Amino acid sequence: MGSMEQNSNRTFIHDYPNSNIITTIYYESSGKSHSRKYIIHLLGIYPSNVKKTKKTSKNCPEYEIPDNYKVETTLEGYSIICETNYLSNGTVKFVLNWTDSQGIDQYISNNNSASGVAKNFLMLLNKKTRISGTILFGFDISCLIKARKTILMPINRKNSFTTLTSRSQQNKRIKLLAKDIEKESKIILKQQNFDNTKIRYIELEIGDEIVGIDLSEVNLDFTRVRQDAVVCACDEALISRDGYRHLAAISPNLEREYQISNRRNEISKYMETIIPIYNCKIELDNIQNNSNNSSNSSNNNSVNPNFSLTNDQNGFCSYRSIKDLLNTLIPIWKKKSILNIGDNIKLKFGGDGHIVTNKYSHVMFTMCLLNEGDEVLKPEKQYW
């Protein structure tokens, strides 16, 4: 069953690819119509360095020129075969083949444009008529354009994947492979009548390394939950960034390390908005004097004689608001039935510190909810 398509002022009647015959109807501005028949011998492909037709006016559309394209049509009573071929220097060779009135095969070529080779042909016949190269070659036939777009172009890679030493180069090559597999798989599945079907995951064995390619559509909610779980597991198990990177390298099913780092940064920024960290300045001059006086009059061995409070410690203190912590934690405790309406909130405050150098010391104050019972003995139940 044929179909009808319209492109600009040309209408195409065809049943391509079931039939290689395409009929067009062209309308002039005066309303006069012309018909032309095309017989497609070779569909051709759009190369990576594809050229486009030249514009004859500002509003004239441009069309991509295929390589290895062959089509048969008529011009001035002659049956001619139009061909396009890309040369090694990237230029396009336009060729017209026909048989003259004496039965001799003739051809003419032009490396500038399709209109140029058409003009040369008409000059040989001493004709003063003109024809557009786009119309003669059928570069604007929409069904052929769509068919070429579905053809997977052969890719010439200079280096083998196994010879690539840079991880970034390998990742780029794998991404290109994934795009080609996804594009080609859709065509194959459609040809095999697999409706609503797509490939989600492919696992490749490259040498001794297993590489997984995930082609599934990104579900942001599911991805975020999975990444949050990985961040939580790494924090609880004290897995470093490099450690997780090595682990993900041997297990393609794991999230990539850079994705986990990005998610960790997002979580940190979000936590800063709901439970911000404030900085404050504490003057220690009076405390230092009192400490010096007490050290001179006391023989307490618990005081490190090499430790001294200096002005370098003045002003370096950070804290979180207990109110901000409770605003975040109370809804969680209520949801877990740790706190119920009417319960008294029992908080315990503690702290620990250690001397980093002979000049600096760290002290961290924590808070826990005694309503949790024995759970307060777990480190993750201590909030600072």
Side-chain angles (χ1 to χ4, degrees):
M1 181 177 180
S3 62
M4 182 178 295
E5 297 178 356
Q6 188 167 357
N7 186 1
S8 183
N9 53 357
R10 291 225 291 170
T11 302
F12 306 99
I13 303 172
H14 66 89
D15 189 21
Y16 190 84
N18 298 322
S19 173
N20 65 339
I21 298 177
I22 300 174
T23 303
T24 68
I25 301 176
Y26 169 70
Y27 296 93
E28 294 183 357
S29 57
S30 61
K32 185 178 180 180
S33 64
H34 303 272
S35 64
R36 177 175 294 277
K37 184 175 73 172
Y38 297 92
I39 301 176
I40 310 302
H41 293 287
L42 290 175
L43 175 63
I45 59 175
Y46 291 129
S48 57
N49 59 336
V50 64
K51 304 294 183 181
K52 294 184 178 181
T53 57
K54 296 180 180 179
K55 281 189 173 184
T56 57
S57 63
K58 183 178 180 181
N59 297 326
C60 179
E62 292 180 312
Y63 297 97
E64 294 180 336
I65 301 173
D67 183 24
N68 195 27
Y69 171 55
K70 182 184 291 187
V71 59
E72 182 178 348
T73 186
T74 57
L75 182 60
E76 294 294 337
Y78 289 92
S79 177
I80 61 174
I81 295 179
C82 308
E83 297 183 46
T84 59
N85 293 284
Y86 279 68
L87 303 179
S88 58
N89 59 1
T91 59
V92 183
K93 183 178 182 180
F94 302 90
V95 182
L96 296 184
N97 298 276
W98 76 97
T99 302
D100 61 16
S101 57
Q102 298 179 358
I104 301 175
D105 293 335
Q106 304 284 349
Y107 87 95
I108 189 172
S109 64
N110 187 297
N111 293 352
N112 293 326
S113 66
S115 298
V117 73
K119 181 179 179 181
N120 295 339
F121 174 79
L122 294 173
M123 289 177 62
L124 289 176
L125 301 180
N126 295 322
K127 300 291 184 178
K128 296 183 179 180
T129 56
R130 298 175 59 185
I131 185 172
S132 167
T134 299
I135 293 178
L136 179 63
F137 281 74
F139 293 143
D140 60 337
I141 301 177
S142 55
C143 62
L144 300 183
I145 295 175
K146 293 178 182 178
R148 295 188 193 103
K149 294 292 186 181
T150 61
I151 298 177
L152 184 65
M153 281 294 302
I155 301 176
N156 183 19
R157 302 296 182 194
K158 294 182 179 180
N159 299 324
S160 171
F161 178 84
T162 55
T163 61
L164 299 177
T165 57
S166 172
R167 176 61 68 177
S168 61
Q169 291 179 344
Q170 293 179 351
N171 291 338
K172 289 180 181 179
R173 183 70 63 83
I174 292 174
K175 287 181 180 179
L176 293 175
L177 175 63
K179 290 181 180 179
D180 293 340
I181 291 176
E182 183 179 17
K183 181 179 179 180
E184 189 68 10
S185 64
K186 291 180 180 179
I187 300 174
I188 296 175
L189 292 172
K190 186 176 181 180
Q191 292 175 347
Q192 297 295 330
N193 290 328
F194 280 84
D195 298 330
N196 298 324
T197 306
K198 57 185 177 181
I199 297 177
R200 294 190 56 187
Y201 187 83
I202 295 177
E203 193 171 87
L204 304 177
E205 183 177 350
I206 306 176
D208 297 332
E209 185 179 6
I210 303 298
V211 178
I213 300 178
D214 190 357
L215 300 177
S216 60
E217 294 183 359
V218 178
N219 187 328
L220 295 179
D221 293 335
F222 176 76
T223 301
R224 189 174 291 110
V225 170
R226 185 169 59 183
Q227 291 176 353
D228 290 348
V230 174
V231 171
C232 182
C234 289
D235 290 343
E236 292 181 355
L238 301 179
I239 299 176
S240 65
R241 178 177 178 179
D242 290 337
Y244 182 81
R245 182 186 290 112
H246 292 311
L247 185 63
I250 62 175
S251 180
N253 293 327
L254 290 177
E255 297 282 340
R256 300 298 92 187
E257 188 279 327
Y258 74 91
Q259 295 174 328
I260 299 303
S261 296
N262 292 339
R263 182 56 184 163
R264 189 190 302 274
N265 292 334
E266 292 177 1
I267 294 174
S268 299
K269 291 180 180 179
Y270 174 71
M271 292 299 296
E272 289 178 2
T273 60
I274 60 175
I275 312 178
I277 298 177
Y278 303 97
N279 296 322
C280 65
K281 184 175 182 180
I282 300 178
E283 298 291 344
L284 300 177
D285 292 339
N286 295 331
I287 299 176
Q288 180 179 355
N289 294 331
N290 295 334
S291 176
N292 291 334
N293 294 333
S294 62
S295 62
N296 292 331
S297 59
S298 175
N299 293 325
N300 190 349
N301 294 330
S302 62
V303 178
N304 187 349
N306 295 324
F307 175 74
S308 63
L309 293 173
T310 67
N311 289 332
D312 293 337
Q313 292 176 283
N314 291 345
F316 296 100
C317 181
S318 300
Y319 69 94
R320 285 191 173 105
S321 170
I322 296 178
K323 182 179 179 181
D324 292 336
L325 282 170
L326 293 178
N327 287 336
T328 303
L329 294 173
I330 287 178
I332 299 175
W333 290 334
K334 290 175 64 177
K335 187 176 181 179
K336 294 182 178 180
S337 299
I338 297 174
L339 287 179
N340 298 311
I341 298 177
D343 289 349
N344 293 325
I345 299 177
K346 301 176 182 179
L347 300 177
K348 178 185 176 182
F349 298 92
D352 191 13
H354 64 279
I355 298 174
V356 181
T357 66
N358 62 340
K359 293 185 178 181
Y360 297 98
S361 63
H362 286 174
V363 177
M364 179 175 290
F365 294 94
T366 60
M367 175 193 76
C368 65
L369 180 69
L370 295 179
N371 302 63
E372 292 187 287
D374 293 338
E375 292 292 315
V376 298
L377 301 177
K378 297 181 179 180
E380 61 267 21
K381 299 299 181 179
Q382 304 293 321
Y383 310 99
W384 66 275

